Amino acid sequence: DLNGHMLKISGNFYVASGDVKINGGTLDVGGDLLYRSLIYNESGSIRSYDYSTGTLTMTKSEDMVLVGGNFEMYSIQDMRGKLTDGIIEIKGNFRQYYSNNNYYGYPADGNHKTIFSGTKKQTIYFSNYTYSYFNNLQILNTSAEGIELQSDMQIKKSVSDPNRKIGKSYKAYISGIEVIEGDTYGGNIE
């Protein structure tokens, strides 16, 4: 529970279990933020990765998560009601995985916003975009390659892609969207 404070992590942050409550604070991860567990071999080296039982709670407008690398959500926990406000800003890739019958790995809602602000090509992947989706999506990527969709995605409330950085390899499904800011979006809309 950050309780209004800042936690700065210079490397990667693996969340194997527990609830990371932002609670009016800022989580600044210089590397990757990965909701996964690590499996080690007998010599102590990482053998493989597995799902997490952890959650991320962002319910206040002041909540901020900054990810300097990749963000991966591979938790078996139902995240409904946990991503309702605040901002996640990602400089790397985004991946949401379906795990153990949990479809709701990233169901952003309310006023929650996800920002992609990388300086290199970024990718977005949802293993199930029907139940996991962006609520407010803002694209600030400055690279020539922009954002590559590696799956379809769903946007619930608003999208801002002023420089048309989202590629057309997959579709964005719009459900109940209120605003396409600047009337521009680079990708395919269904």
Side-chain angles (χ1 to χ4, degrees), residues 31-76:
D32 300 337
L33 175 53
L34 306 165
Y35 276 77
R36 293 179 158 257
S37 59
L38 302 172
I39 299 172
Y40 296 92
N41 60 25
E42 297 80 29
S43 66
S45 299
I46 298 172
R47 183 185 72 196
S48 63
Y49 302 92
D50 205 352
Y51 61 82
S52 166
T53 59
T55 56
L56 174 62
T57 300
M58 299 180 71
T59 57
K60 295 184 177 181
S61 60
E62 303 85 10
D63 292 355
M64 175 68 81
V65 175
L66 304 168
V67 184
N70 301 324
F71 178 89
E72 291 186 4
M73 180 57 74
Y74 186 37
S75 177
I76 63 171

Side-chain angles (χ1 to χ4, degrees), residues 155-158 174-179:
I155 305 165
K156 288 285 211 178
K157 192 172 181 184
S158 74
I174 307 299
S175 61
I177 198 158
E178 297 172 7
V179 178

Side-chain angles (χ1 to χ4, degrees), residues 20-168:
V20 178
K21 293 180 183 174
I22 305 305
N23 195 12
T26 299
L27 173 61
D28 185 350
V29 180
D32 300 337
L33 175 53
L34 306 165
Y35 276 77
R36 293 179 158 257
S37 59
L38 302 172
I39 299 172
Y40 296 92
N41 60 25
E42 297 80 29
S43 66
S45 299
I46 298 172
R47 183 185 72 196
S48 63
Y49 302 92
D50 205 352
Y51 61 82
S52 166
T53 59
T55 56
L56 174 62
T57 300
M58 299 180 71
T59 57
K60 295 184 177 181
S61 60
E62 303 85 10
D63 292 355
M64 175 68 81
V65 175
L66 304 168
V67 184
N70 301 324
F71 178 89
E72 291 186 4
M73 180 57 74
Y74 186 37
S75 177
I76 63 171
Q77 298 298 322
D78 187 330
M79 296 283 289
R80 284 180 287 183
K82 293 192 170 286
L83 300 172
T84 60
D85 217 328
I87 296 171
I88 294 180
E89 182 173 347
I90 303 167
K91 301 280 187 190
N93 302 322
F94 174 95
R95 297 188 75 76
Q96 177 273 320
Y97 298 96
Y98 164 82
S99 177
N100 286 20
N101 294 322
N102 176 32
Y103 297 102
Y104 300 97
Y106 197 90
D109 209 352
N111 292 313
H112 190 271
K113 181 187 275 191
T114 306
I115 299 173
F116 287 88
S117 61
T119 57
K120 298 177 185 174
K121 179 177 97 171
Q122 293 179 271
T123 62
I124 296 173
Y125 172 80
F126 282 95
S127 64
N128 191 325
Y129 69 87
T130 304
Y131 300 99
S132 290
Y133 39 78
F134 298 121
N135 192 49
N136 296 294
L137 176 63
Q138 186 174 20
I139 305 300
L140 300 177
N141 180 288
T142 59
S143 73
E145 300 90 354
I147 307 285
E148 176 188 332
L149 297 182
Q150 295 183 335
S151 69
D152 290 338
M153 68 176 177
Q154 183 178 174
I155 305 165
K156 288 285 211 178
K157 192 172 181 184
S158 74
V159 62
S160 173
D161 182 18
N163 298 311
R164 297 178 168 262
K165 292 294 185 174
I166 293 184
K168 298 180 187 312

